[in-house]
């Protein structure tokens, strides 16, 4: 199907992109297009303008900033996978991105586009949440920073306003932390039915700290806080980890499964949290 007609602009600066958004009552931002273009083709959305961020160099790349790394919102998945700063300081993010779709999608898709799209089955939100990421949002009044815990507001809804852009993601360094992303799908390259992002800081054989993010267990990415608290200070034995991970689905409200009550997904969350934590603590 062919999209309805729209104006197309490709600004070369954030300021020009914001001006283009302000000049329209119904604009959409193109940040890779892997989610937006299918929606336009199916005519599920008919904007009067599409603002393409692909020509803004300041929105790409990864840099160090003290105790954090800063990722431009238009940095592609493939560039994140190749970046040594991500591998060293945000291994959990790399582990998750390795599972995203296929090489073609990873070359075109961007981290910022995925975060603002905010599909609860997407594979980027949970690791950014687990890593205590901060999202830099820019509007006509300047920049503001929102914690990942406050960024995801509801299904496909974030803290980014209609006249704002997500410009960067700030990730505190988790240097030396073990990391694993365990994902359950029925078909290769499918959206996650359930996935778990786990990162663990070890002190000898003891889990000093653990961070666990859940994918597709509610209308937004979630933290498995009960499991995180239960893991802290525990020996990294299979038995102790299994006991702590039994709490992974506490407080979640996953989409209905075949039984209509989400119990299947809750079971999967428990199983895959245990696998992810074991792998991260290894």
């Amino acid at each position: 199907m062919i999209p309805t007609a729209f104006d197309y602009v490709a600004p070369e600066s954030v300021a020009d992109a914001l001006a283009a958004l302000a000049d329209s009552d119904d604009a959409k931002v193109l940040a890779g297009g892997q989610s937006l273009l299918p929606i336009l083709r199916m005519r599920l959305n008919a904007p009067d303008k599409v603002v393409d961020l692909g020509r803004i160099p300041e929105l790409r790349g990864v840099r160090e900033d003290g105790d954090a790394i800063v990722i431009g919102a238009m940095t592609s998945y493939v560039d994140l996978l190749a970046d040594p700063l991500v591998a060293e300081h945000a291994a959990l993010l790399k582990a998750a991105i390795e599972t995203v779709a296929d090489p073609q999608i990873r070359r075109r898709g961007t981290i910022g586009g995925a975060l603002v799209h905010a599909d609860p089955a997407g594979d980027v939100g949970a690791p950014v949440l687990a890593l205590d990421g901060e999202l830099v949002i820019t509007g006509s009044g300047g920049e503001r920073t929102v914690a990942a815990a406050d960024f995801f507001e509801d299904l496909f809804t974030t803290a980014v306003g209609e006249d704002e852009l997500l410009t960067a993601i700030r990730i505190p360094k988790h240097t030396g932390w073990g990391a694993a992303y365990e994902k359950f799908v029925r078909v290769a390259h499918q959206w996650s039915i359930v996935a778990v992002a786990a990162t663990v800081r070890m002190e000898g054989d003891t889990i000093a700290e653990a961070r666990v993010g859940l994918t597709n267990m509610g209308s937004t990415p979630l933290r498995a806080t009960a499991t995180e608290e239960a893991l802290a200070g525990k020996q990294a034995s299979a038995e102790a980890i299994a006991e702590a991970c039994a709490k992974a689905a506490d407080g979640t409200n996953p989409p209905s499964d075949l039984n209509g009550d989400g119990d299947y997904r809750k079971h999967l969350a428990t199983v895959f949290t245990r696998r992810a934590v074991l792998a991260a603590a290894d």
Side-chain angles (χ1 to χ4, degrees):
M1 188 175 289
I2 300 174
T4 58
F6 55 80
D7 292 333
Y8 171 84
V9 295
E12 297 184 2
S13 70
V14 170
D16 287 346
L18 291 172
L21 290 176
D23 192 39
S24 171
D25 293 328
D26 185 21
K28 287 294 180 183
V29 173
L30 181 66
Q34 304 309 294
S35 299
L36 178 62
L37 293 181
I39 291 172
L40 296 182
R41 285 199 301 268
M42 291 185 287
R43 299 197 176 190
L44 297 176
N45 201 297
D48 59 29
K49 179 185 290 186
V50 170
V51 181
D52 185 351
L53 305 184
R55 297 183 185 177
I56 306 178
E58 64 194 277
L59 294 182
R60 296 185 183 275
V62 183
R63 61 180 174 87
E64 286 188 272
D65 184 17
D67 60 356
I69 62 171
V70 179
I71 302 170
M74 284 294 291
T75 307
S76 68
Y77 293 133
V78 71
D79 286 342
L80 289 171
L81 291 175
D83 194 283
L85 292 176
V86 175
E88 181 178 4
H89 302 301
L92 179 58
L93 183 60
K94 180 178 180 180
I97 290 173
E98 287 173 339
T99 75
V100 171
D102 53 40
Q104 292 89 342
I105 296 295
R106 292 194 291 272
R107 185 163 294 280
R108 292 289 303 172
T110 64
I111 184 172
L115 289 170
V116 176
H117 184 56
D119 190 322
D123 294 303
V124 177
V128 169
L129 182 63
L131 290 167
D132 293 314
E134 294 181 329
L135 293 302
V136 180
I137 299 170
T138 304
S140 58
E143 289 185 351
R144 60 190 179 96
T145 300
V146 177
D150 300 318
F151 180 79
F152 302 102
E153 296 183 344
D154 204 345
L155 186 70
F156 300 113
T157 306
T158 72
V160 180
E162 292 184 359
D163 58 347
E164 295 180 312
L165 296 171
L166 174 64
T167 50
I169 302 94
R170 183 181 177 89
I171 304 289
K173 290 180 179 178
H174 286 68
T175 316
W177 289 53
Y181 190 72
E182 292 288 335
K183 177 176 177 176
F184 180 76
V185 295
R186 293 193 180 97
V187 179
H189 306 156
Q190 186 185 37
W191 292 99
S192 294
I193 295 173
V194 170
V196 178
T199 189
V200 172
R201 182 173 68 83
M202 299 293 296
E203 291 181 353
D205 295 329
T206 300
I207 297 174
E209 298 178 80
R211 303 286 184 268
V212 180
L214 304 176
T215 297
N216 213 15
M217 288 298 291
S219 61
T220 67
L222 300 171
R223 284 278 287 269
T225 54
T227 289
E228 293 176 353
E229 293 168 0
L231 287 168
K234 293 292 193 301
Q235 291 290 310
S237 66
E239 295 79 9
I241 289 174
E243 181 180 357
C245 293
K247 306 174 185 289
D250 287 3
T252 64
N253 184 27
S256 296
D257 49 40
L258 295 177
N259 297 322
D261 55 12
D263 284 349
Y264 178 56
R265 279 188 168 87
K266 291 180 180 179
H267 168 70
L268 288 174
T270 300
V271 171
F272 281 84
T273 301
R274 174 175 54 81
R275 292 182 184 177
V277 172
L278 281 168
D282 188 9

